[in-house]
């Protein structure tokens, strides 16, 4: 029986606590992945390389070259943390560094897709991150940035997943800014995103995050236009996602789903 394929994206704001990688959170994420893999094929898109590098070398992250250097230091360290955490669930992981250029080229996209298919067929967990060392200085031009939000949307589309799940410090898509209006209501199901919401300025809540709600809405908009779905929920409340995917209980978070015509 074929399993649905899901892309799970986790942002720096979820993985980092007090400017250090939150090992307890990664262990909880590994446990969730092990549970979800019983019913789904999982591709993980993970931020956190810069934050991990920062634990070894304190550099000014606002300088592009420093951020690239931190990513170069942090990426292998982050993968080691994942590998050790996943090992307790007998899960082998693989690293793929992908930039926008791969999706500009049909050949490169197909090559990456071929590798993904081999890994999933052999029950290996692909862990994808943007290649910050070569693209960070061009993020605004390339249209990625957003702490891997838009990268994960393209991974979902081009690697033929049915849904993108974004685990974030943003718990959902509200009718108003919940930080300003505590009575703001969360939208549970969304078919369309207004243009004005897509044009707002990003507002990341963490020193290592580069996105905020706007980059997540852009990711959702891309997927809706390509007839795919996205679920946005809190990375600190993994039970919300577990209930949604395993028990079909939508207790919190926002589901972006194409409208059936």
């Amino acid at each position: 029986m074929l399993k649905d394929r899901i892309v799970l994206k986790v942002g720096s704001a979820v993985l980092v606590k007090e400017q250090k990688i939150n090992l307890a959170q990664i262990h909880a994420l590994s446990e969730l992945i092990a549970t979800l893999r019983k019913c789904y094929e999982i591709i993980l898109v993970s931020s956190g390389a810069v934050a991990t590098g920062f634990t070894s070398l304190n550099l000014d992250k606002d300088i592009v070259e420093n951020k690239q250097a931190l990513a170069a230091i942090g990426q292998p360290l982050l993968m080691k943390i994942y590998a050790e955490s996943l090992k307790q669930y007998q899960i082998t992981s693989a690293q793929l560094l992908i930039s926008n250029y791969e999706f500009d080229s049909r050949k490169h996209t197909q090559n990456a897709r071929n590798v993904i298919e081999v890994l999933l067929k052999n029950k290996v967990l692909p862990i994808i991150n943007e290649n910050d060392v070569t693209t960070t200085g061009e993020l605004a031009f390339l249209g990625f940035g957003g702490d891997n939000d838009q990268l994960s949307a393209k991974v979902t589309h081009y690697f033929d997943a049915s849904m993108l799940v974004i685990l974030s410090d943003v718990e959902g898509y509200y009718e108003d800014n919940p930080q300003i209006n505590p009575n703001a209501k969360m939208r549970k199901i969304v078919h369309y995103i207004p243009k004005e919401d897509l044009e707002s300025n990003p507002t990341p809540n963490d020193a290592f995050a580069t996105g905020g709600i706007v980059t997540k809405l852009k990711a959702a908009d891309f997927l809706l236009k390509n007839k795919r779905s996205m679920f946005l929920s809190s990375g600190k409340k993994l039970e919300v996602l577990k209930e949604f995917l395993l028990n079909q209980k939508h207790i919190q978070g926002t589901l972006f789903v194409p409208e059936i015509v």
Side-chain angles (χ1 to χ4, degrees), residues 140-245:
F141 172 73
L142 293 176
F144 269 18
D147 203 21
N148 279 332
D149 291 329
Q150 291 167 79
L151 170 62
S152 62
K154 291 199 173 186
V155 167
T156 303
H157 176 61
Y158 288 106
F159 297 162
D160 202 26
S162 60
M163 177 181 289
L164 167 63
V165 172
I166 293 186
L167 294 173
S168 174
D169 60 338
V170 178
E171 296 191 352
Y173 179 26
Y174 286 84
E175 295 178 356
D176 196 6
N177 189 336
Q179 295 180 347
I180 298 174
N181 178 8
N183 296 317
K185 293 183 179 180
M186 183 185 294
R187 297 177 171 97
K188 294 194 73 174
I189 298 178
V190 173
H191 301 298
Y192 168 79
I193 303 168
K195 183 178 179 181
E196 57 268 24
D197 286 1
L198 295 169
E199 294 176 346
S200 303
N201 291 323
T203 54
N205 298 324
D206 183 86
F208 288 99
T210 58
I213 185 63
V214 177
T215 57
K216 290 156 185 60
L217 294 181
K218 288 181 178 179
D221 185 63
F222 172 82
L223 290 171
L224 289 174
K225 289 176 179 176
N226 285 282
K227 307 302 181 185
R228 299 182 192 273
S229 302
M230 188 181 107
F231 186 69
L232 171 63
S233 67
S234 171
K236 302 297 177 65
K237 299 178 182 178
L238 298 181
E239 67 277 4
V240 170
L241 177 60
K242 195 172 180 180
E243 285 295 313
F244 179 73
L245 289 179

Side-chain angles (χ1 to χ4, degrees), residues 30 33 82-91 93 125 127:
S30 298
I33 290 171
Y82 269 121
E84 291 176 350
S85 182
L86 292 163
K87 187 177 180 180
Q88 62 183 315
Y89 301 102
Q90 291 77 52
I91 298 175
S93 58
L125 174 69
I127 302 180

